[in-house]
Amino acid sequence: MGTYILKRISSIIPVFLLAALLTTGMIHLSPVDPAEAYLTAAHIQPTDEMLAQKRHEFGLDQPFFIQYVNSIIKICQLDFGISYISNKPVWDEVIYRIPATIQLALGSLFLAVVVSVPLGFLAGVKKGSAVDHFSRLLSFFGASIPSFWLGYLLIFFFSVKLDLFPVEGTGTWQHLVLPSITLALPLIAMYTRLLRASILENVQEPYVLFARTRGLKERTIMAKHVLRIAISPMITGLGMNLGKLLTGTIIVETVFSWPGFGRYFIEAIFNRDIPVIQCYVLIAASLFILSNLIVDLIQMYVDPRISRKEGQHR
Amino acid sequence: MMTSISKILKSQKVILMCSIILGTLFIISIFAPWIVPNDPIAVNLAYKLQSPSWDFPLGTDHLGRCNLSRIIYGSRISLGFAMLIFISSLLIGLIIGTFSGYKGGWIDHILMRFCDGVMAFPSLILILGLVGIFGPGLPQVILALMLVQWVYYARMFRGMVLSLKEQNFIAAAKISGSSQWKIIKNHIVPNVLPPLVIMGTLEMGWAIMDISAMSFLGLGVQPPASEWGAMIHEGKSYIRTNPELMLYPGLMIMVVVVTFNLLGEALSERFGIKRRF
């Protein structure tokens, strides 16, 4: 088990190095010169001399490999450079905005789990019932509605027509409701489907038959045995979707004027604020890698067979 | 509600209905210039925010442009570019995946590690990163979507080629002296293509949603061109007075995405193909 954890942790290093390579290489692929972008953002008329000086300051005159190593060292020190627009360290700006995004992500994750676990469970246990049909309809439409449009629909009905929730902004729990629903619906769609399929699969396992012959109540079998095992693919789904959740916040934050990291990133794209773009891509990638790792470790804890299976494969 | 949903999906009717809807939309978008009642980008402030009339069947937007014409023209961008992304990433994936799987060895190893690397990231982050670097604009978005998408096809083609390679008819072709190129062209490609086209149908919905999401964020289609996502973005300021401005284009996106998804699911249920991604 120890070696499995070590192996799993060491496997994220190459992915991280690749992410750093991509973000360092980005500048060179871009048609925009960072030095020029910086000076334009500062409203300074660029001269050749100033451009050369800025390039030297950014380390762009060094060989690519040196730049790459330097950027990795800087990333490890959480130094993502200085925003061209605000002239403050990017990391400070990010730290200031990230709590709002996390709040939104957690809110919708909570909602998604609270809705999809009972719904997926009931749909799986009572296959073909009204609940099952409802869950399939919900997961079909949840996956097909563009979230930016759903956001405006919710605003139109609940804020403009019924005046129940604020249109945009943050502060109270009411502000969190509509953005969370918007962000959660695609997740609900996916998790409900996952859990339903997993329950249907597990119900046919021999241990269910055994539990029945032992004379356990159907309710106990389903709630205590089947659900516990069937929920495992959902945990994987949760981890794999954290990246999607993060990108989803970009759109939802834009719709609801939520002052988070995602909106900051979109503004950075328009302002050509390259350090911020690099920082976002890197943080998003790291978060994605880390969440997958954590999910794997949780899975291993829940179901120790996994680490043994992996060991056999390699 | 008595018949199960999977039975409905398996029936011919769904496939037929979805094909009719999509076919009609494709024809409308191809012949858009002759169908639209008005010029989709002609600004006329005297007619702004009008309700439906004979001249403007769905009313006008905040610049006095005909909503119906804009929606019809928007279908050209959504359907056309989703098609382009699908076909081009399928082709790139087909070439690289088949090559990689057929050749094997270190070429295969390097190509597949590269694919793993790209797949390790959530695709939207990669797309946004690429658009962030190359700047907003439709060509950049299309390119980014293609660059992210081909990887999945390449992996799938490779897997299929690997299992096909061991089959007897390939060995027979080899023994009878067919060239490598001929084996790939005549024996391998025809076998791997059909299931991928079906899965591609599911991907079309995904591509349409992504294009419109990008345009909604202002990163894709630039004004005055009309695109559904961009129309929602423009209509959002009038949500209190004229909610239909954002209602129509959103409805269009949903109908098209639902139809593509339904068609894809129905086809894959019918032909017994499991979704792989």
Side-chain angles (χ1 to χ4, degrees), chain A residues 30 149 152 250 272 284-285 288, chain B residues 120-121 125 128 133 135 236 246:
Chain A
S30 166
W149 189 54
Y152 286 121
I250 295 175
R272 319 290 297 159
F288 183 66
Chain B
F121 300 104
I125 291 179
L128 282 167
I133 289 307
K236 73 177 181 189
M246 61 108 207

Side-chain angles (χ1 to χ4, degrees), chain A residues 242-292:
Chain A
L242 273 181
K244 242 187 201 161
L245 192 66
L246 195 71
T247 45
T249 58
I250 295 175
I251 288 170
V252 174
E253 281 174 13
T254 309
V255 171
F256 291 93
S257 306
W258 190 264
F261 191 19
R263 235 178 90 201
Y264 182 53
F265 172 56
I266 294 297
E267 279 164 23
I269 291 181
F270 284 118
N271 295 328
R272 319 290 297 159
D273 200 346
I274 291 167
V276 178
I277 300 174
Q278 284 179 312
C279 178
Y280 185 88
V281 173
L282 216 74
I283 288 184
S286 314
L287 219 68
F288 183 66
I289 298 167
L290 271 181
S291 60
N292 274 345

Side-chain angles (χ1 to χ4, degrees), chain A residues 118-124 126 128-137 192:
Chain A
L119 195 61
F121 178 66
L122 283 178
K126 297 202 164 97
S129 66
V131 180
D132 187 20
H133 286 294
F134 173 72
S135 86
R136 285 204 74 170
L137 266 178
T192 307

Side-chain angles (χ1 to χ4, degrees), chain A residues 102-140:
Chain A
I102 292 180
Q103 195 188 7
L104 183 60
L106 284 182
S108 54
L109 205 59
F110 172 75
L111 198 66
V113 171
V114 163
V115 175
S116 59
V117 170
L119 195 61
F121 178 66
L122 283 178
V125 172
K126 297 202 164 97
K127 195 188 167 194
S129 66
V131 180
D132 187 20
H133 286 294
F134 173 72
S135 86
R136 285 204 74 170
L137 266 178
L138 186 76
S139 40
F140 196 78

